[in-house]
Amino acid sequence: MSKNEIDKRREVLRKASADGYALLRKGGTAADAVESAIKVLEDSEIFNAGSGSCVTIEGNVEPDASIMKGDLSCGSVANASVVRNPISLARAVMEKSDHVLIAGPDALTKFATAIGFGELVALRPTKQRLEQYEVYLRNMRRGELKEWPKNSEIMGQYQEAPPGTDFAGTVGAVAIDSQGDVCAGVSTGGRFMKLPGRIGDSAIPGAGLYADHNSGAVSATGAGEEIIKVCLCKTVSDLMRSGIDAQSACDSAINLLTNARGVGTAGVIAIDVKGRFGISRNTEMMPVSLRFVPMEKTLSVVLPEEYSLVDLTGSNNRRKRLTI
Ligand code: ASP
């Protein structure tokens, strides 16, 4: 990654945290903060979410997003290519429908229109995503895309995009507000070269996110097919509910996943109801950004070696309790 790309990521992450934090300081809810942070990331085009979503085997975008609060209310959208900010539509499903998950552009267009959601758009892949698509397509045709061996065999049955590098980049956020309410959110383009209609963990509460006022809030990124199999975020939440701090819960859940499904499969962020944070991953990278009341400014970590800036040890983390 070039220095320019690293700086851009750091700046967008910083803005996402800072905007969410500013809302909390003004008395906003954890859901307000999570939605606002994720919107910044969706709009940036540099993460795999919203406008920057990666593409399907046919070269289209089919983003998923979810939001969940500590009272267990939650809303999810899948294949939400009809709005600029899938996280806001997920929040609308939570607040304005009796359902948890609504999927597909037609159904979501009807729902958005029914509630007067605002502007509908046809989300298109960015130029950069289409360039990456060409590379993936070449590799897949040669049978060199090891992530999707079965899809590679049937790819000829799918319509490829007309000519027009990585699997990471899903965005998530967790927050606790002045009332002690917690919220988790997640938004993704999914995984490069997925089959049309594939729905990943980011649309499934318990897998790609979870929140419960008895435990805390958790959000995940990584290989959705693996995250779903171990209900990753519910696992972190259950561990926190048993009294384990957020960092230890994240580490234990990631260890369980690694043992079950291998390395390079996921990362999680969490906040427990005592305001302790947790960050854990078995992937090479997972940029994060943090803001707490005792901190004077937002801390953004983009490169793996910068993790030493964040004190993840249970005891110190505990001392950094959130007191807003
Ligand atoms: N978890 C996302 C999915 O599988 C992808 C990612 O986090 O990069 O849809």
Side-chain angles (χ1 to χ4, degrees), residues 167-168 170 188 190-191 198 200-202 221-224:
F167 279 81
T170 289
T188 187
R191 298 178 71 187
R198 174 265 191 192
D201 61 299
S202 308
T221 179

Side-chain angles (χ1 to χ4, degrees), residues 75-186:
S76 303
V77 290
N79 194 349
S81 55
V82 295
V83 289
R84 191 173 163 79
N85 294 111
I87 190 67
S88 299
L89 197 54
R91 188 172 181 182
V93 170
M94 174 172 78
E95 291 176 350
K96 298 190 189 307
S97 86
D98 297 311
H99 304 301
V100 167
L101 168 61
I102 299 181
D106 292 348
L108 287 169
T109 298
K110 273 189 195 155
F111 172 67
T113 308
I115 61 165
F117 179 77
E119 198 196 352
L120 296 178
V121 299
L123 217 54
R124 312 294 326 159
T126 60
K127 186 167 166 287
Q128 193 202 7
R129 291 298 182 205
L130 284 176
E131 283 165 9
Q132 290 172 333
Y133 172 71
E134 294 298 316
V135 176
Y136 277 112
L137 210 51
R138 264 200 307 277
N139 291 342
M140 207 166 180
R141 282 200 197 105
R142 288 192 203 120
E144 288 170 6
L145 198 64
K146 63 178 183 348
E147 284 80 2
W148 302 127
K150 293 180 189 166
N151 292 357
S152 298
E153 282 177 22
I154 56 171
M155 68 181 291
Q157 304 301 315
Y158 285 85
Q159 178 83 41
E160 291 165 15
T165 55
D166 56 359
F167 279 81
T170 289
V171 302
V174 293
I176 185 166
D177 62 30
S178 55
Q179 305 302 307
D181 289 334
V182 291
C183 181
V186 64

Side-chain angles (χ1 to χ4, degrees), residues 178-242:
S178 55
Q179 305 302 307
D181 289 334
V182 291
C183 181
V186 64
S187 182
T188 187
R191 298 178 71 187
F192 244 109
M193 310 308 273
K194 64 183 182 180
L195 298 184
R198 174 265 191 192
I199 295 173
D201 61 299
S202 308
I204 304 178
L209 87 170
Y210 203 73
D212 180 345
H213 62 217
N214 293 301
S215 58
V218 196
S219 181
T221 179
E225 281 66 16
E226 310 305 344
I227 293 170
I228 291 169
K229 285 169 192 155
V230 301
C231 296
L232 185 61
C233 289
K234 179 69 161 67
T235 302
V236 175
S237 173
D238 286 348
L239 288 164
M240 293 193 300
R241 189 173 182 155
S242 72

